[in-house]
Amino acid sequence: MRWAVFLIGGAALFRCLRPWVGGPENFAPFAALALCGAVYFRRPWNWAGPLLALLISDAVLNLHYGQPFFTANRLAAALAYLLIAELGRVVAARSSWGAWLGGALGSSLIFYFLTNSAAWWLNVGYDKSLAGWGQALTVGLPGFPPTWTFLRASLISDLLFTVIFVAGIEWSARRNPGKVRPILSAAPAR
């Protein structure tokens, strides 16, 4: 359980440091944490851990940016991570690198569509029409980076962190039998 707390804390710290050290927006380990956590963490940490990391990092970042602690966008992000955790259960049943990579791509798309659709619905800057929704999913609002760049950063970070998490956990499972539950090494050969 110690490694799970370290992973969750590390993910929150990574996200909190981004405004000070730079890097692309939406380059964060949370979708990979939700995807992998659903498989490798014990209940209730398999869904509560990623949400707790999200809440802690949101509190720090919202304070930094002068935003209120709770916003409707946070609810959309939390719902996205719960859906990604469910996707993790589906991925675990397949138990291959291809399934994990597909899960990482699916995680990016779930988060992107859900949070940008919420922004479209809640933000008065968007026209409440199909064209306004298309704007929310592609170029976003004037004065901000195009929203497709957030999807690009999410895709890269979700793929990268999923590979790191799964490889690290599987390596740990081989080195410490019985302490960590392997998924890939326990899969039957196909």
Side-chain angles (χ1 to χ4, degrees):
M1 187 54 144
R2 196 173 0 176
W3 65 271
V5 172
F6 176 75
L7 191 59
I8 291 168
L13 181 63
F14 180 89
R15 182 169 180 242
C16 289
L17 290 177
R18 200 213 51 78
W20 290 277
V21 298
E25 295 285 338
N26 270 26
F27 191 84
F30 285 113
L33 183 63
L35 183 71
C36 298
V39 177
Y40 291 109
F41 296 167
R42 290 189 183 111
R43 291 179 189 251
W45 288 106
N46 60 347
W47 63 270
L51 287 180
L52 183 62
L54 174 72
L55 289 174
I56 291 169
S57 61
D58 274 351
V60 171
L61 291 173
N62 286 356
L63 184 67
H64 172 72
Y65 290 118
Q67 299 291 320
F69 171 71
F70 182 79
T71 64
N73 290 334
R74 293 304 121 227
L75 186 60
L79 179 59
Y81 291 130
L82 289 172
L83 290 173
I84 291 167
E86 284 302 313
L87 178 61
R89 292 186 213 339
V90 172
V91 167
R94 305 252 186 283
S95 190
S96 70
W97 277 108
W100 278 109
L101 294 177
L105 293 173
S107 297
S108 296
L109 294 173
I110 288 169
F111 185 83
Y112 178 75
F113 280 108
L114 202 68
T115 57
N116 281 298
S117 294
W120 162 71
W121 185 253
L122 298 168
N123 193 317
V124 296
Y126 290 115
D127 185 40
K128 303 305 180 248
S129 66
L130 192 55
W133 186 53
Q135 177 188 356
L137 293 175
T138 55
V139 297
L141 293 172
F144 295 96
T147 53
W148 66 265
T149 62
F150 296 112
L151 176 61
R152 179 186 61 202
S154 291
L155 285 168
I156 294 167
S157 66
D158 293 345
L159 287 168
L160 175 70
F161 286 112
T162 297
V163 168
I164 290 170
F165 291 165
V166 172
I169 293 168
E170 290 293 323
W171 176 80
S172 179
R174 286 186 181 93
R175 290 189 47 106
N176 304 299
K179 288 190 175 186
V180 180
R181 179 175 56 119
I183 298 298
L184 288 174
S185 56
R190 294 180 197 235

